[in-house]
Amino acid sequence: MEQILLGKPVAKQLDKNSELLINAYKDKKGVQPLLTAITVGENPASLLYVSRKQDKAKELGVDFNWLKLPNDSTPIEVLEQIEATKKISQGIIVQLPLPVHLDFEEIVNLIPPELDVDGLTTHNLGYLYSKNYKILPATSLAVLELIKYYDIKTEDKNIVIAGRSRLVSSPLSKLLSSKQFNGNVTVVHSKTSDLKSYTQQADILISAIGKSRLFNIDYLKKGSVAIDIGISNVDNKNYGDINPKGLEEHLIARSPFPGGVGPITVSALFANLAQLIK
Ligand code: NAP
């Protein structure tokens, strides 16, 4: 019977640790830390994700400054907002996706690395090549925390990661193949012509593509672990990338959707903030 890898207990553990560091900051400075979130436009998913972050901030004792910029904002206007808030904020995030006229790399690199709680500036991503990283991109950190919490063995395992984005999957492939995790990592993407030939060999499949229930039992090796990061919306309903039908007796463990990686990602963001104010 497959084990369901729930995100809630992992998130709770991360929050407990973050709270200690946030309280220590408050005791030392006499004020709560301030997290600034910038959204550009009215993407409903972005607004929902930011409101979840706002709720978590309240829960952990962090002030939350939400700057809602119009859809036609220029890079200069975003820069002005970052400049105006950087002296008062302990962390800044720019919520994705951005409108198409804004280049994500250009915008994210406007955030000073010491305030980059998402760990997505080119500077902080460079630390993936160092043993001394402080900040990992929140979704990657969430998956690693899930793996550690449930004691999933990665050493010498075939780990297939579906997706190669800067935000989610590329940092994971780097980390899971590092000397800390020692996985044998394969990355598949939209130009991979025969996905099954890779995924069927995976001891651990991690999917971050956002294609509703793409990976059904035929794609998954018997006795393997599946970690579902993807989120897609079909007819106003959200789905993960993994189709859970028939997997109960096929997999040894699976992170569900919803209730798996998602709740850990929000807590991972605050774990990053806690590291930055330490
Ligand atoms: P992204 O930038 O759109 O990247 C998607 C990746 O999937 C790309 O590398 C793309 O390949 C690949 N891909 C697309 N269609 C594919 C297919 N048919 N077969 C194989 N690979 C395919 O998205 P992202 O920012 O990485 O996010 C990935 C997913 O995770 C999304 O669904 C997002 O909503 C979700 N997400 C969840 C959380 C959470 O907390 N659970 C957090 C962040 C993101 P190419 O590189 O070739 O285009």
Side-chain angles (χ1 to χ4, degrees):
M1 186 75 182
E2 68 174 341
Q3 180 188 12
I4 297 297
L5 309 172
L6 295 172
K8 227 176 179 173
V10 190
K12 212 169 157 188
Q13 183 177 280
L14 277 177
D15 288 349
K16 216 167 127 190
N17 194 39
S18 300
E19 250 177 333
L20 288 176
L21 296 170
I22 290 165
N23 287 338
Y25 177 91
K26 276 189 267 186
D27 290 346
K28 196 167 143 200
K29 305 273 181 183
V31 286
Q32 300 199 143
L34 175 70
L35 177 62
T36 292
I38 299 174
T39 50
V40 187
E42 297 283 326
N43 180 305
S46 296
L47 299 180
L48 177 68
Y49 292 142
V50 175
S51 65
R52 286 194 187 141
K53 292 169 189 173
Q54 188 172 33
D55 292 345
K56 181 64 77 179
K58 201 169 172 196
E59 189 187 316
L60 296 178
V62 170
D63 287 333
F64 198 81
N65 174 29
W66 187 345
L67 300 175
K68 295 178 183 170
L69 309 188
N71 196 59
D72 57 357
S73 303
T74 62
I76 301 278
E77 283 162 345
V78 181
L79 172 67
E80 281 166 0
Q81 293 297 328
I82 292 174
E83 287 294 324
T85 51
K86 77 180 185 193
K87 286 188 193 70
I88 54 163
S89 304
Q90 279 63 55
I92 299 177
I93 53 173
V94 173
Q95 184 65 39
L96 291 176
L98 290 169
V100 283
H101 70 279
L102 294 176
D103 177 64
F104 172 65
E105 189 166 346
E106 184 188 342
I107 296 294
V108 82
N109 282 331
L110 300 174
I111 301 175
E114 66 280 9
L115 301 182
D116 169 28
V117 264
D118 259 334
L120 292 174
T121 56
T122 303
H123 179 97
N124 281 338
L125 283 175
Y127 274 102
L128 291 173
Y129 293 87
S130 158
K131 276 183 277 184
N132 303 318
Y133 55 75
K134 200 168 179 183
I135 293 296
L136 293 177
T139 315
S140 303
L141 177 60
V143 172
L144 298 181
E145 291 293 332
L146 178 98
I147 285 174
K148 285 194 253 175
Y149 185 91
Y150 289 104
D151 199 21
I152 296 165
K153 302 283 178 261
T154 53
E155 182 158 325
D156 200 27
K157 300 293 183 199
N158 285 345
I159 303 175
V160 173
I161 299 179
R164 55 177 166 183
S165 71
R166 176 189 183 110
L167 178 70
V168 179
S169 23
S170 282
L172 262 184
S173 61
K174 174 73 192 77
L175 289 159
L176 287 168
S177 58
S178 73
K179 290 197 171 183
Q180 196 186 344
F181 291 93
N182 293 310
N184 309 317
V185 175
T186 304
V187 174
V188 294
H189 43 75
S190 69
K191 301 289 183 280
T192 305
S193 56
D194 185 2
L195 281 177
K196 257 187 208 163
S197 66
Y198 295 95
T199 60
Q200 284 174 340
Q201 305 301 317
D203 301 310
I204 303 172
L205 171 70
I206 302 175
S207 184
I209 61 180
K211 292 267 178 279
S212 162
R213 300 188 162 200
L214 172 69
F215 294 117
N216 63 23
I217 193 165
D218 297 341
Y219 285 80
L220 298 159
K221 181 178 164 182
K222 178 124 179 108
S224 64
V225 175
I227 297 175
D228 197 352
I229 305 176
I231 305 172
S232 48
N233 189 286
V234 182
D235 297 332
N236 284 326
K237 202 165 176 262
N238 287 333
Y239 295 94
D241 288 349
I242 293 167
N243 185 341
K245 194 162 171 242
L247 298 182
E248 300 84 355
E249 303 301 329
H250 189 74
L251 298 182
I252 54 167
R254 175 175 61 87
S255 74
F257 179 88
V261 174
I264 316 173
T265 301
V266 181
S267 293
L269 181 79
F270 286 87
N272 278 346
L273 178 70
Q275 286 305 315
L276 288 176
I277 60 174
K278 202 159 80 170

